[in-house]
Amino acid sequence: MPFARSRRKPARAEVTELSRLRLFWRERIDWRLRRGGGEAARIAATRRAVQQEWAVLRGLPPADLEARIALRACRPARLATIEGAADFALVLEVMRQETGLCLRDNQIDCALRLILGQCAEMRTGEGKTLVAALAALAAARSG
């Protein structure tokens, strides 16, 4: 049995040590080369559409924003697509007005990935809580 454990022969796994150069390669360069071109391009296009819609909504007075929220019915299937960018931008604008925080590009990307059911990794201090709140609010708005 190769995985039998005992005090005389404990199970040990061989782990290669990571040098600083290899860590730098994996954290900064390798993931960019490995990421999927089609999926990443689609999410980037959706993010650009969301930002364009959001720029329009920033200048609206609160009464007009309330009217757009009441008028617009959101479908769950199109939430993370270019067609659903206006719905996503409405949630972003309400978050900005209520909290005073403007979300960055990578946070919008991560929220879109969460809505699509993908895993998103962020470092400490990048706003994971805001991303999760944005995804949850957008999903709750769509029902």
Side-chain angles (χ1 to χ4, degrees), residues 54 88 91-92 94-112 114-115 120 122-123 125-139:
W54 192 19
F88 208 81
V91 175
L92 275 169
V94 170
M95 278 184 71
R96 186 190 69 79
Q97 287 184 0
E98 292 298 321
T99 63
L101 300 171
C102 289
L103 274 67
R104 299 186 309 264
D105 295 347
N106 66 329
Q107 292 169 326
I108 295 171
D109 284 347
C110 287
L112 288 169
L114 286 177
I115 288 173
M122 298 176 76
R123 287 186 158 197
E126 281 191 318
K128 292 181 280 293
T129 305
L130 290 173
V131 167
L134 173 61
L137 288 171

Side-chain angles (χ1 to χ4, degrees), residues 71-88:
L71 175 72
R72 196 123 175 117
C74 181
R75 293 189 194 135
R78 68 176 203 158
L79 186 60
T81 61
I82 293 177
E83 294 84 27
D87 302 319
F88 208 81

Side-chain angles (χ1 to χ4, degrees), residues 13-40:
E14 293 295 324
V15 178
T16 59
E17 290 187 26
L18 293 175
S19 65
R20 285 185 181 201
L21 180 62
R22 188 174 290 171
L23 275 174
F24 176 79
W25 172 261
R26 286 189 179 175
E27 286 185 353
R28 305 286 181 187
I29 300 168
D30 187 42
W31 68 271
R32 292 181 180 163
L33 297 175
R34 290 179 187 236
R35 68 182 172 187
E39 184 71 25

Side-chain angles (χ1 to χ4, degrees), residues 116-127:
L116 290 172
Q118 299 175 357
C119 184
E121 183 179 356
M122 298 176 76
R123 287 186 158 197
T124 302
E126 281 191 318

